[in-house]
């Protein structure tokens, strides 16, 4: 003969309880993962800040720029000396705190023959390529800036159109191919300081590199932990009121 306890156990919502238990574990795991991501992001920000304010070094060779540790070179503060190839200047669409316009991309050639694209800075909308090219100083130039990885293909919304000379990302290989200048380093330099002979008229505005890492991991973690708490409360409630589900 079944007792009242046996009948209560039979009526307990085992399926719903199991679902809530799985949800509880999953939400806790997601919360802990976000905490780990937050710690990783904070360490990354600290490393980048150290690179940005460190003494400038030479641009790493191509092997390092394409190797396993290439990501650790992003925002590395570098210095390069050479001569601008003004005729190869290209304009890449840009949106900055100064408004919409273009990044002025001009390759520099070192005494050793190495070619590296330099983002010389921002020019306003309406600027023509010939005008941007005319801003490139003649003779030897010393550029200090931040190393950035190439941006192949285009932006999220628009692809580069080399045939129409419309550029939406700083794709150094495609830019070099379009300008016919030969091999270039697989990265570019966002200029901060340009030491050269003075140039009259329009000058690109350097030093607009955006260093921003989204850091919403704490809010995400708190959200997952809150959902875990709600799952736990629901599990307790359902378990205690098992008689409601026959």
């Amino acid at each position: 003969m079944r007792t009242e306890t046996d009948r209560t156990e039979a009526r307990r919502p085992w399926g719903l309880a199991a679902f809530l238990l799985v949800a509880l574990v999953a939400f806790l795991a997601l919360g802990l993962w976000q905490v780990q991501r937050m710690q990783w992001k904070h360490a990354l920000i600290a490393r980048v800040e150290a690179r940005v304010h460190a003494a400038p070094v030479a641009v790493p060779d191509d092997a390092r720029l394409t190797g396993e540790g290439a990501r650790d070179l992003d925002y590395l503060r570098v210095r390069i000396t050479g001569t601008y190839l003004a005729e190869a200047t290209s304009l890449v669409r840009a949106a900055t705190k100064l408004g919409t316009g273009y990044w002025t991309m001009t390759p520099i050639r070192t005494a050793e023959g190495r070619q590296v694209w330099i983002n010389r800075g921002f020019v306003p909308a309406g600027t023509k390529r010939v005008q941007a090219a005319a801003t490139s100083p003649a003779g030897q130039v010393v550029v200090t800036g931040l190393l950035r990885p190439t941006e192949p293909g285009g932006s999220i919304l628009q692809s580069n159109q080399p045939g129409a000379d419309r550029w939406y990302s700083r794709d150094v290989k495609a830019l070099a191919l379009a300008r016919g200048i030969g091999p270039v380093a697989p990265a570019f330099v966002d200029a901060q300081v340009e030491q050269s002979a003075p140039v009259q008229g329009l000058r690109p505005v350097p030093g607009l590199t955006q260093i921003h890492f989204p850091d919403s991991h704490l809010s995400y973690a708190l959200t997952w932990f809150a959902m875990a708490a709600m799952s736990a409360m629901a599990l307790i409630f359902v378990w205690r009121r098992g008689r409601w589900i026959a």
Side-chain angles (χ1 to χ4, degrees):
M1 183 174 178
R2 298 181 64 185
T3 65
E4 182 63 25
T5 300
D6 292 334
R7 287 193 293 270
T8 299
E9 287 297 321
R11 287 194 294 267
R12 289 194 188 279
W14 293 102
L16 180 58
F19 171 79
L20 290 171
L21 181 60
V22 170
L24 170 61
V25 173
F27 291 145
L28 285 174
L30 287 169
L32 292 173
W33 176 66
Q34 285 296 335
V35 170
Q36 293 174 343
R37 291 282 297 172
M38 179 180 65
Q39 294 172 340
W40 171 84
K41 183 64 68 64
H42 289 176
L44 172 63
I45 293 172
R47 290 197 301 272
V48 169
E49 285 294 322
R51 291 178 210 156
V52 168
H53 298 101
V57 298
V59 176
D61 58 36
D62 291 2
R64 287 189 63 197
L65 292 175
T66 56
E68 292 183 0
R71 288 187 178 182
D72 293 332
L73 300 176
D74 197 11
Y75 298 106
L76 179 69
R77 194 159 181 251
V78 297
R79 179 172 291 157
I80 186 169
T81 301
T83 304
Y84 279 131
L85 305 179
E87 67 280 3
T89 296
S90 302
L91 296 177
V92 178
R93 295 288 178 88
T96 74
K97 63 183 181 182
L98 301 179
T100 57
Y102 305 96
W103 296 123
T104 304
M105 298 291 290
T106 306
I108 196 171
R109 179 178 291 160
T110 68
E112 296 75 27
R114 190 182 190 194
Q115 298 182 145
V116 180
W117 282 97
I118 307 296
N119 175 15
R120 297 186 57 231
F122 174 83
V123 291
T127 302
K128 304 300 182 183
R129 191 169 79 88
V130 64
Q131 294 174 295
T135 69
S136 303
Q140 183 169 283
V141 179
V142 181
V143 176
T144 301
L146 302 178
L147 192 67
R148 302 305 318 283
T150 185
E151 300 168 347
S155 67
I156 296 176
L157 299 178
Q158 293 176 291
S159 298
N160 292 326
Q161 302 174 35
D165 201 27
R166 293 178 181 173
W167 303 93
Y168 301 95
S169 74
R170 293 161 290 191
D171 185 338
V172 296
K173 185 176 180 180
L175 285 168
L177 184 63
R179 296 293 178 253
I181 62 172
V184 293
F188 64 92
V189 176
D190 261 349
Q192 294 177 307
V193 179
E194 181 182 87
Q195 299 173 356
S196 63
V199 176
Q200 299 298 321
L202 177 72
R203 291 294 301 272
V205 180
L208 297 179
T209 306
Q210 294 186 1
I211 305 176
H212 175 65
F213 296 96
D215 187 13
S216 303
H217 300 294
L218 179 59
S219 62
Y220 292 154
L222 293 176
T223 299
W224 291 126
F225 287 142
M227 294 182 71
M230 289 188 290
S231 297
M233 289 187 291
L235 177 61
I236 294 172
F237 177 80
V238 167
W239 189 254
R240 289 180 175 178
R241 302 301 295 269
R243 290 177 176 275
W244 286 9
I245 304 178

